[in-house]
Amino acid sequence: MLEKILETKREEIAALTLPDQVDVPHFSLYKALKKPKRSIGLIAEVKKASPSKGLIKEHFNPEEIAKGYEAGGADAISVLTDQKYFQGHRNYLTTVKKTVALPIMRKDFIISKQQIDETVRMGADAMLLIVGTVPINELKELYDYAYSLGLECLVEVHAKSELEELVSLFHPKIIGVNNRNLKTFETSLSQTDEMASLIPKGSLFVSESGIHHKEDLERVGKAGASGVLVGESLMRAVTPEEGISVLFGGESIVSSS
Ligand SMILES: O=C(O)c1ccccc1NCC(=O)[C@H](O)[C@H](O)COP(=O)(O)O
């Protein structure tokens, strides 16, 4: 699946035109996760559809979803911008960014500097980089390029070998362990359990995918995650606020002052 998505990305990059730069205030994903509003940081995802689940949210309004996530006390928002496989759009990110005062992360398959320039112009605060999508030295170059433009990166791994390769080269400020197997699409929180001890002490650790219940949250928190990235379960909730409240078992928000 990943190879198919990357093939599409290479075609898209060849035809990429940059949007106008949006003028927006910026917020740090790292700081938001370092000092979360609850016991574990929440990156709530705006996700209309996915390769594994098809259409997730029929009546999809990114602005309303983002407002609900902010009202529900999310620490940050991830917006899927891939069109072909996730029914996302880069305009959704800009809309969300203009709607809420939270760090906004672009969730896409970023393999080139042109896409990073695009991400900056869209107004994002952070973006995803996935180990294995480009050779590791190139990933480090993309990481450095993003930070030089003021964009933070969540660097994602899907396997222990990828994490070992990553940390032998550099220690990203934020590392995500994705619990989804991209071949079978199955999610297993054992991924988080098994890789937790390999995350460098100075990096923030985010557990991604397959987190549906309070028990899942507790399990990855116990394993050492500072944050979680949650899409589907929040998108299927009656409202985003209720989804967050149920996921956190009603845990109240700590005031940031
Ligand atoms: O979600 C998919 O089906 C998928 C398939 C192939 C590559 C990536 C995919 N998802 C991206 C993500 O990592 C998730 O959107 C994110 O972690 C949230 O996951 P979930 O809470 O399980 O929706």
Side-chain angles (χ1 to χ4, degrees):
M1 183 74 217
L2 186 59
E3 202 29 63
K4 198 170 153 210
I5 294 175
L6 295 178
E7 226 177 273
T8 306
K9 288 296 143 187
R10 287 188 277 270
E11 289 164 14
E12 288 175 0
I13 292 163
L16 184 63
T17 54
L18 295 180
D20 290 337
Q21 174 73 54
V22 297
D23 185 17
V24 281
H26 285 287
F27 304 102
S28 164
L29 175 64
Y30 182 86
K31 283 186 188 160
L33 293 175
K34 189 86 183 155
K35 214 175 163 202
K37 294 173 182 144
R38 297 186 179 85
S39 49
I40 190 163
L42 172 65
I43 308 173
E45 189 155 275
V46 176
K47 182 177 190 180
K48 181 175 181 180
S50 75
S52 60
K53 300 291 167 72
L55 186 65
I56 295 171
K57 185 87 180 165
E58 198 177 349
H59 303 291
F60 177 80
N61 180 333
E63 199 175 330
E64 289 309 313
I65 296 163
K67 279 184 194 164
Y69 282 160
E70 185 175 50
D75 296 287
I77 295 179
S78 160
V79 182
L80 272 153
T81 54
D82 171 81
Q83 282 186 260
K84 184 164 179 183
Y85 302 94
F86 292 86
Q87 296 187 39
H89 199 283
R90 69 184 184 187
N91 293 349
Y92 295 161
L93 187 140
T94 303
T95 299
V96 166
K97 179 66 199 170
K98 287 179 176 170
T99 303
V100 295
L102 289 174
I104 308 300
M105 181 176 83
R106 180 183 188 188
K107 191 110 179 14
D108 209 312
F109 299 82
I110 293 175
I111 53 173
S112 73
K113 288 187 177 171
Q114 294 100 295
Q115 289 169 295
I116 297 178
D117 294 337
E118 181 193 31
T119 308
V120 169
R121 287 183 178 221
M122 286 155 64
D125 301 292
M127 59 171 229
L128 182 77
L129 279 176
I130 306 175
V131 174
T133 53
V134 291
I136 197 73
N137 291 329
E138 279 179 36
L139 185 116
K140 169 81 164 80
E141 275 175 32
L142 295 177
Y143 179 91
D144 289 340
Y145 184 63
Y147 273 89
S148 77
L149 299 177
L151 256 186
E152 295 178 308
C153 297
L154 169 61
V155 182
E156 174 180 295
V157 294
H158 287 259
K160 201 174 156 201
S161 56
E162 290 176 352
L163 180 55
E164 284 167 346
E165 188 187 22
L166 173 68
V167 300
S168 69
L169 184 64
F170 74 109
H171 291 181
K173 290 180 78 174
I174 316 170
I175 298 180
V177 168
N178 201 318
N179 301 305
R180 178 172 285 108
N181 178 320
L182 292 185
K183 287 198 182 91
T184 64
F185 289 148
E186 270 171 32
T187 56
S188 165
L189 301 186
S190 309
Q191 286 278 98
T192 291
D193 295 334
E194 284 160 20
M195 286 191 243
S197 64
L198 300 173
I199 304 284
K201 291 282 168 277
S203 304
L204 283 180
F205 169 25
V206 177
S207 179
E208 306 174 39
S209 303
I211 294 161
H212 297 280
H213 310 289
K214 183 172 173 278
E215 294 72 26
D216 300 335
L217 211 65
E218 286 169 355
R219 174 170 170 183
V220 300
K222 247 189 208 157
S226 305
V228 288
L229 173 58
V230 184
E232 187 188 344
S233 67
L234 298 179
M235 294 297 301
R236 290 197 196 278
V238 178
T239 65
E241 295 94 318
E242 190 177 319
I244 294 176
S245 174
V246 169
L247 185 65
F248 279 85
E251 182 183 338
S252 35
I253 295 173
V254 178
S255 150
S256 56
S257 56

